[in-house]
Amino acid sequence: MSVLITGPIDNTPVNGVRPTQTVSIKIENENPVSAATVLIQGYVLSGVRTLYVSEQITILPNAVLTRNYYADLDSFDYVITVTEPSPESVLVSFWGKNSAGALIAAHRLVYSELFGSENAVGITGATGATGATGNTGITGAAGTTGATGATGATGATGATGVTGTTGVTGTTGATGSTGITGATGATGNTGETGATGDTGPSGGPEGPTGATGTTGATGATGETGVTGATGDVGTTGATGPTGPTGATGATGATGATGATGAIGVTGATGFTGATGTFEPNPFNVYVLQGAVGGNGTQASPFGTIQQGVTAVSPTGTVHVLGATYPITSNITINKAGVTLQGYPNTIILLQAAVIPFTIIGSGVTVDGFTMTSDNPYAVEFIQLGGTNHTVKNNTIFGPPQAGPSTGWIVNRGIVTQIGNMTGLIVRNNIFYSLRQPAYFNPNTTGEIISNVVYNTRGFVNDQAVMVFSGNSWGSPQNAVDIALLVGTITGPPFDPITALSANNSTATIQDSR
């Protein structure tokens, strides 16, 4: 990296006119392969050193470009930083120009003291070898850990309440006597046995045994005796009576209610405390020009836009309430997703040759402002770098300038940084009485939708890829409505030119490709 400085440049008026009105910086990249990045920063030296120019440029291989900046100042200086990949191939010259645009002085550029002695810009010496890294020092001993504080004593457990007494169980009643068993009945008489039949005669001593005589008939069975009657079942004895329950003790007499004491006198009402305030919300910050001592709430806003931008959190909103805000120094916004919200009658009044808003980072929205200046200054109102920013619903205009627009001060509504702005949306804005409504530098991408433009030299597309749609043109008419510079691509979104014109209210197209 090379850092080049002009040192303080004295531009004291001679016969009421400062010799240098603008400065011209010419940059050449001699590297045939690699691009280089150049950051240009200009400072006003008026008791304090104030940044008024900040532009980062990517210069292509073998390319040459020129930048002109306002310099009608008593004293100023510039710092030009050239970064990798090829700072040694970049040559820079710095010139003063008078009110007629003629060169009047070649201002010397030297290396910053940080990088060594003075040398001409184009004669950068080779970078010396990096010295050996010194030994790492011994790590200091870790400090002792503080003692752990004593644990507080555990509070005493409360006493358990007394258990009530159990009531007396009543006595069990006597068991009744068992009834008498009845007598067993008498057994009946047995019947008579029948008569035995005759035995036949016996034979001789060894004669056969005679036949057995016939068995006499069995006598009739005597009648069964009558069964005695079953005795009566004895009766069950009566159950004995249940013993009496013990008597409940008498309830003690309720004590007499004491007399109600007299109501005391009502004390005096204390003073009402001060009304509390809302805590500041970093996602909704409020600003009102000239407010003093505010904390950023709607009830107590900050007094400057810079205070609001400093306080807001990423994705939050800075509410810029209706008033006129004089701008004499740059405000840079680099917080993702922040919205800068203007209100009716919110006017940004530029009063010095500084860029009012430099927006970098991603996703920033500028919505609802009126922006103008007390004189034509050769600066843009909004400079954009980064990704996905939106500029919408604004009215941006300059004070009238005499003569043909070719000789007007180069004041612009919007300028994009070279090679450092993608996804830009510019929608529903009004631009007039400016050199250009917007200048889109190389490699910018985005959409330009439904804007109204008049009394300018038109949108300038310098090797950017922008989609123009629904834009319209007022009176006094523009010198041209859309200018396509050398190096801008052919084909969509610019060709066919007839379609580009038709899609933008029959725009006048200057095609220099």
Side-chain angles (χ1 to χ4, degrees):
M1 178 177 70
S2 297
V3 179
L4 310 170
I5 60 175
T6 63
I9 297 173
D10 184 11
N11 195 30
T12 303
V14 178
N15 296 325
V17 178
R18 296 186 181 92
T20 296
Q21 297 290 305
T22 61
V23 295
S24 179
I25 302 175
K26 185 173 288 290
I27 306 171
E28 175 185 358
N29 183 5
E30 293 186 330
N31 191 303
V33 177
S34 300
T37 300
V38 178
L39 174 62
I40 300 174
Q41 295 172 299
Y43 294 87
V44 180
L45 308 180
S46 57
V48 294
R49 190 169 186 258
T50 304
L51 179 70
Y52 84 101
V53 172
S54 179
E55 182 177 10
Q56 183 169 290
I57 302 168
T58 299
I59 180 168
L60 301 177
N62 281 329
V64 178
L65 57 84
T66 302
R67 283 289 182 269
N68 297 307
Y69 300 104
Y70 176 87
D72 189 8
L73 306 164
D74 286 337
S75 183
F76 58 90
D77 72 355
Y78 273 74
V79 178
I80 302 170
T81 306
V82 183
T83 56
E84 296 293 347
S86 56
E88 69 280 355
S89 301
V90 176
L91 307 180
V92 181
S93 66
F94 187 91
W95 296 80
K97 291 183 179 180
N98 62 17
S99 58
L103 299 176
I104 61 169
H107 295 290
R108 185 179 62 167
L109 285 165
V110 300
Y111 281 110
S112 168
E113 294 179 0
L114 178 63
F115 293 95
S117 61
E118 297 179 1
N119 285 291
V121 172
I123 314 176
T124 302
T127 303
T130 303
T133 303
N135 296 326
T136 303
I138 299 170
T139 302
T144 56
T145 302
T148 302
T151 302
T154 303
T157 303
T160 303
V162 180
T163 303
T165 56
T166 304
V168 180
T169 303
T171 56
T172 303
T175 303
S177 57
T178 303
I180 302 168
T181 302
T184 301
T187 301
N189 295 324
T190 302
E192 296 178 356
T193 302
T196 303
D198 292 334
T199 302
S202 300
E206 297 191 16
T209 302
T212 303
T214 306
T215 304
T218 304
T221 305
E223 295 178 359
T224 305
V226 179
T227 304
T230 304
D232 295 331
V233 178
T235 57
T236 304
T239 303
T242 302
T245 303
T248 302
T251 303
T254 302
T257 303
T260 302
I263 297 173
V265 179
T266 303
T269 303
F271 294 106
T272 302
T275 303
T277 57
F278 291 104
E279 289 294 323
N281 178 356
F283 292 96
N284 280 291
V285 177
Y286 290 83
V287 174
L288 179 61
Q289 172 63 32
V292 178
N295 59 5
T297 60
Q298 188 171 9
S300 182
F302 290 128
T304 67
I305 297 173
Q306 183 62 69
Q307 287 177 293
V309 170
T310 300
V312 74
S313 291
T315 73
T317 299
V318 179
H319 301 268
V320 184
L321 302 176
T324 297
Y325 293 79
I327 301 297
T328 57
S329 60
N330 173 259
I331 298 170
T332 298
I333 304 173
N334 185 16
K335 293 182 179 179
V338 161
T339 295
L340 204 62
Q341 181 65 63
Y343 282 68
N345 300 318
T346 299
I347 300 172
I348 303 300
L349 179 60
L350 181 61
Q351 296 182 331
V354 299
I355 299 170
F357 298 106
T358 299
I359 298 172
I360 53 180
S362 65
V364 174
T365 298
V366 178
D367 182 5
F369 289 86
T370 297
M371 301 186 188
T372 189
S373 59
D374 60 355
N375 282 300
Y377 296 112
V379 294
E380 59 270 21
F381 283 92
I382 303 174
Q383 183 182 115
L384 296 156
T387 59
N388 302 325
H389 300 315
T390 299
V391 179
K392 63 180 182 178
N393 305 322
N394 302 285
T395 298
I396 303 178
F397 65 97
Q401 299 187 53
S405 60
T406 52
W408 288 1
I409 292 292
V410 185
N411 59 344
R412 293 164 172 157
I414 297 171
V415 173
T416 62
Q417 296 179 353
I418 296 178
N420 188 35
M421 181 65 251
T422 58
L424 172 63
I425 296 176
V426 179
R427 184 175 69 235
N428 294 337
N429 301 283
I430 300 173
F431 301 96
Y432 65 94
S433 296
L434 299 162
R435 177 75 172 222
Q436 279 99 25
Y439 193 107
F440 303 115
N441 271 303
N443 301 320
T444 300
T445 65
E447 300 180 25
I448 313 303
I449 307 168
S450 300
N451 301 281
V452 177
V453 181
Y454 59 94
N455 199 28
T456 76
R457 295 188 63 77
F459 290 109
V460 176
N461 192 92
D462 184 359
Q463 304 175 62
V465 182
M466 309 301 293
V467 177
F468 291 85
S469 177
N471 299 287
S472 58
W473 326 101
S475 179
Q477 67 184 18
N478 303 306
V480 298
D481 297 325
I482 301 173
L484 305 179
L485 299 192
V486 175
T488 297
I489 64 171
T490 58
F494 305 115
D495 295 302
I497 289 292
T498 53
L500 176 62
S501 176
N503 290 336
N504 291 277
S505 307
T506 62
T508 301
I509 312 294
Q510 177 184 308
D511 189 357
S512 302
R513 295 176 294 173

